[in-house]
Amino acid sequence: MAELAGRTALITGAGSGIGLGIAQAYADEGASVFLADIDSARLEAAVAAARGRGAQASGITADVGDLASVQAMAAAATEALGRIDVVCNNAGILDDLMPAADTTDALWRRVMGINLDGAFYVCRAVLPDMVARGAGIIINTVSISGSRGSRGGFAYTVSKHGLLGLTRSIAVTYGEYGIRCNAISPGSVETNISTGDNWPPIGRTLREKGLSTRPTRAKPNDIAPVAVFLASDRARYVNGHDLVADAGWTVY
Ligand code: NAD
């Protein structure tokens, strides 16, 4: 029996990397998926790939950092799926490993806007229906940068710490309404996320120190099974958890 049969899921940043891996795994496990990405070409390919795996799939080009775009996305997902059982707040960007003193207002706002405001906008849009139904599952792609100071630049690290706080607050506040909210924290995954190539000396030192202890990088399909578990009934008693999937990088 497919693990997510009959379940519906909205996945952001589903056109590439970890989000694409989750979309494919959910499709394989029988879920109906609604995919969102800012990149239309990637989105179209991801929807076609999910359909090719036998899933009911559709999607929308959306920018999670833009409130109106998120509201349109949530409405379209509800329309297409009937209801949203699972939300994966996965869209995110890196920060070129910039330290605080080198972080421009524009970089700060861009990283916060997508990594943190985006998840907030999505949660606020979907929670009322979940509360009304007494059920819902929210899964946020955080990072080991969400609990460590050394795995990203300044804005990325702060945004991911914030996303972990968002996860815990929603878990505690909405748990009694049948809603579970958990984080997945990957270590290093081979994806299209850009690390940039313009690191100032402080960022470079940080990166080299961190990389010296890094285990073999994951592929997106090493992370996707974690998202399947958290979306399944096997995780029914798991709420507010930060599930680290980093091959032991943070315990080195
Ligand atoms: P990726 O670049 O391969 O995929 C991210 C997708 O999100 C892309 O298709 C991109 O077009 C889309 N996207 C970017 N901005 C968007 C926006 N404003 N609205 C909607 N979609 C948008 O990167 P990835 O590595 O798969 O990253 C996915 C998530 O995983 C991110 O939140 C990232 O912080 C997190 N993460 C990645 C790693 C890693 O090593 N790759 C490690 C830990 C956490």
Side-chain angles (χ1 to χ4, degrees):
M1 172 76 171
E3 179 122 42
L4 303 179
R7 205 146 275 188
T8 61
L10 163 64
I11 304 162
T12 70
S16 169
I18 296 168
L20 180 60
I22 294 173
Q24 296 187 341
Y26 280 17
D28 291 346
E29 291 299 334
S32 299
V33 292
F34 190 86
L35 310 181
D37 202 287
I38 200 168
D39 183 314
S40 310
R42 284 180 175 176
L43 173 74
E44 272 175 37
V47 170
R51 286 184 182 150
R53 296 169 105 94
Q56 200 181 324
S58 51
I60 194 169
T61 303
D63 176 359
V64 298
D66 180 86
L67 178 58
S69 184
V70 169
Q71 288 168 336
M73 175 186 77
T78 306
E79 170 84 23
L81 299 170
R83 59 173 199 283
I84 304 171
D85 295 326
V86 183
V87 170
C88 295
N89 284 308
N90 169 79
I93 56 167
L94 269 176
D95 61 0
D96 293 346
L97 294 181
M98 285 299 158
D102 299 273
T103 298
T104 62
D105 288 0
L107 178 63
W108 173 262
R109 274 303 342 138
R110 192 167 135 67
V111 173
M112 290 298 157
I114 295 172
N115 293 5
L116 194 50
D117 296 1
F120 162 51
Y121 292 157
V122 174
C123 288
R124 192 173 55 183
V126 301
L127 276 166
D129 276 357
M130 289 181 169
V131 169
R133 289 200 318 277
I137 297 165
I138 298 172
I139 301 168
N140 299 320
T141 309
V142 181
S143 161
I144 54 174
S145 305
S147 54
R148 293 288 186 284
S150 61
R151 298 303 198 280
F154 177 65
Y156 187 79
T157 299
V158 175
S159 74
K160 293 296 185 175
H161 273 69
L163 189 53
L164 203 48
L166 175 152
T167 304
R168 290 171 174 153
S169 178
I170 288 178
V172 169
T173 310
Y174 293 94
E176 65 187 280
Y177 297 92
I179 294 163
R180 296 192 286 106
C181 183
N182 290 293
I184 298 174
S185 284
S188 180
V189 189
E190 283 175 31
T191 68
N192 290 311
I193 204 161
S194 169
T195 51
D197 51 9
N198 190 27
W199 312 316
I202 296 173
R204 197 173 304 133
T205 309
L206 174 82
R207 182 176 166 81
E208 281 160 8
K209 273 192 191 161
L211 289 182
S212 70
T213 58
R214 185 176 71 174
T216 310
R217 299 184 80 195
K219 302 258 193 269
N221 65 12
D222 294 318
I223 306 302
V226 175
V228 171
F229 167 68
L230 288 175
S232 77
D233 288 337
R234 283 188 297 152
R236 61 191 171 276
Y237 210 64
V238 181
N239 190 24
H241 185 59
D242 178 22
L243 207 165
V244 174
D246 72 344
W249 195 9
T250 46
V251 294
Y252 179 82

